[in-house]
Amino acid sequence: MTAVKPHFTTANRAGDFIFVSGQLPFDNEMKISSGDIASQTRIVMEHIAKALKDVGSDLQHVVKTMVWLTDPEDFPVFNKTYADYFPHPPPARATVASRLMVAGALIEIEAIAYHPQ
């Protein structure tokens, strides 16, 4: 599989809001992980956590996520894995099944955090 180098800003702060770009399950060599949905979900969530940390925030400030899954049958396993990162109450979320732009990716997640400066 060919490595893909994304060309976007990982996270932008706009006042008290932080917008995290859609994160894909890239490994350290910028290749999509060949893991299952649970593995890819963990990688994506770690990318989101790092993006937030880089701008002085963390997952506990996430108020909304948007999730794309390539296979709706992956939802139960995704949902269980996702819940490990967001104790109650979880952020608002929309989840849709969709073809993704990067071959091999089973999931993409973007996030919005509210973290007053």
Side-chain angles (χ1 to χ4, degrees):
M1 186 175 298
T2 305
V4 176
K5 184 168 173 77
H7 182 72
F8 59 86
T9 300
T10 305
N12 273 329
R13 181 179 274 278
D16 293 338
F17 286 94
I18 301 163
F19 297 86
V20 179
S21 297
Q23 298 297 302
L24 291 161
F26 286 113
D27 64 17
N28 292 336
E29 298 173 4
M30 294 308 293
K31 294 181 181 174
I32 293 293
S33 165
S34 61
D36 63 7
I37 189 62
S39 171
Q40 287 197 12
T41 300
R42 283 190 291 276
I43 291 167
V44 168
M45 292 305 301
E46 292 303 321
H47 290 328
I48 292 170
K50 182 181 181 326
L52 289 167
K53 182 179 179 184
D54 288 348
V55 295
S57 192
D58 55 45
L59 289 172
Q60 80 180 60
H61 290 94
V62 173
V63 295
K64 170 79 168 80
T65 61
M66 179 66 193
V67 180
W68 293 267
L69 299 173
T70 59
D71 184 347
E73 298 212 4
D74 282 342
F75 182 79
V77 173
F78 149 74
N79 198 48
K80 183 178 183 310
T81 307
Y82 176 92
D84 292 340
Y85 290 87
F86 293 116
H88 295 287
R93 178 182 80 197
T95 305
V96 299
S98 176
R99 196 168 128 201
L100 298 176
M101 296 299 297
V102 179
L106 305 176
I107 186 168
E108 182 171 350
I109 303 175
E110 69 178 27
I112 300 170
Y114 178 75
H115 191 162
Q117 296 182 329

